[in-house]
Amino acid sequence: MTERLSADQLGRAAEMLRAGRLVAFPTETVYGLGGASRDAQAVAGIFAAKGRPSFNPLISHFPDAEAAFAEAVADDRARAVARAFWPGPLTLVLPRAADSRIALLASAGLPSLALRVPAHPMAQALLRAAGQPIAAPSANRSGGVSPTTADHVLDGLSGQIDAVLDGGPCAVGLESTVLDLTGPVPLLLRPGGIPEAELEKLLGPIGRAAPAGSEDEARPAPGMLSSHYAPSLPVRLEATTVAPDEALLAFGPALPGAGATWQLSESGDVVQAAARLFAGLRELDAEGRRLGLAAIAVQPVPMAGLGAAINDRLSRAAAPRG
């Protein structure tokens, strides 16, 4: 059952987030479905609760720019924009720092991170009390209308999440502007609470991201197509046997005989498998190259629940290289 928490129970909400549980909370834009960004299992739980069709990156929330930039590579443009618009309804997409501890699933395995410092006082207090980054897409079922009250959250997610922290109606009611600063030209990935004209005063001309090929394709943040799922070793799907010169991405009881093995979920839990997917591909690729292995074999993963998104990412990793 989903708890409805009041302002004086904010400490409990922070405790729940630290424990890997899911808590919706208000920002000045919409209510976000919060989970600890560094906890891959919590991030997988966000995707499961939303019924999100694919592992598109999630925005991580921070109490201030210093905390956000500790996870990313921030240039002079990013710092100038942050000084002008943070806290506020602006998300920056920046290169991931080499020592970032944000779960790979939160960034969909991409080399970038989506970061925001919300202005809502309750969100600020919660982030400081939690003491860690919080991933928080809109707190609604995927494809639904974004929620701007706690009642909206409960209408769609009651029984699917642990709690909602009630902070009253959201002031802006429109998602954050998403600005990509990973390249030489700033790109607007999503219009939102900060007008483009205000950003152009600081940055000059801003480009537009190319449209995505489909709703199931992943972007560094909402609005931009990208594909960074393929390891350097070839990937073989639906493996029922494995050769000594192959690394194995296992699901359920591991096939014998692999040169290296990464277990997604020995118990066959697709949420656990989702949490471990991108880390597993990276680990097997590095270990396979170190050992001179020829390929990565992948045991079958069912399509139920998050299995569909897992299989989508695996099929992209296994696609012929151009």
Side-chain angles (χ1 to χ4, degrees):
M1 184 172 179
T2 301
E3 295 184 50
R4 186 172 191 145
L5 304 178
S6 60
D8 60 2
Q9 294 174 294
L10 186 143
R12 172 161 173 74
E15 181 182 344
M16 294 170 82
L17 287 168
R18 288 194 298 271
R21 299 171 71 184
L22 303 184
V23 178
F25 63 94
T27 75
E28 71 277 20
T29 56
V30 299
Y31 272 72
L33 176 52
S37 294
R38 294 170 178 162
D39 184 337
Q41 190 79 12
V43 173
I46 292 173
F47 286 107
K50 283 181 65 69
R52 205 169 172 100
S54 59
F55 297 137
N56 286 327
L58 303 179
I59 297 169
S60 290
H61 294 67
F62 300 83
D64 52 49
E66 182 181 4
F69 291 159
E71 301 285 348
V73 180
D75 60 14
D76 290 341
R77 300 173 304 171
R79 295 186 183 281
V81 170
R83 283 193 297 271
F85 299 110
W86 275 356
L90 175 70
T91 294
L92 293 181
V93 178
L94 301 174
R96 172 191 281 265
D99 59 352
S100 173
R101 292 188 289 147
I102 289 179
L104 289 171
L105 184 61
S107 59
L110 300 171
S112 56
L113 294 174
L115 315 170
R116 184 160 99 85
V117 177
H120 195 290
M122 185 173 285
Q124 280 280 318
L126 179 63
L127 290 165
R128 294 187 187 282
Q132 57 186 288
I134 301 299
S138 57
N140 55 276
R141 295 285 293 176
S142 186
V145 178
S146 296
T148 56
T149 69
D151 285 338
H152 295 164
V153 175
L154 291 170
D155 284 345
L157 294 177
S158 182
Q160 303 297 311
I161 63 176
D162 295 291
V164 56
L165 182 60
D166 190 348
C170 299
V172 176
L174 178 70
E175 286 89 348
S176 63
T177 301
V178 181
L179 182 70
D180 184 352
L181 295 178
T182 59
V185 177
L187 294 176
L188 184 70
L189 304 190
R190 181 180 72 185
I194 299 295
E196 182 178 0
E198 294 299 308
L199 294 170
E200 287 182 326
K201 290 178 182 178
L202 281 179
L203 300 173
I206 294 174
R208 294 293 180 121
S214 79
E215 285 301 310
D216 291 329
E217 306 226 44
R219 303 102 163 139
M224 185 178 185
L225 170 64
S226 189
S227 57
H228 290 270
Y229 305 103
S232 60
L233 292 178
V235 175
R236 180 171 67 88
L237 303 180
E238 302 295 324
T240 56
T241 61
V242 61
D245 67 346
E246 291 182 309
L248 177 67
L249 191 65
F251 182 82
L255 296 170
T261 298
W262 176 276
Q263 180 59 258
L264 290 174
S265 175
E266 191 168 8
S267 65
D269 181 343
V270 292
V271 175
Q272 182 183 33
R276 293 175 57 79
L277 175 62
F278 291 115
L281 284 172
R282 288 194 179 197
E283 180 67 23
L284 286 183
D285 194 38
E287 184 68 359
R289 285 185 283 112
R290 187 184 72 82
L291 295 174
L293 303 182
I296 298 172
V298 182
Q299 289 184 231
V301 177
M303 293 294 289
L306 290 184
I310 293 169
N311 281 293
D312 172 80
R313 291 302 174 259
L314 289 172
S315 67
R316 296 178 195 281
R321 314 293 168 85

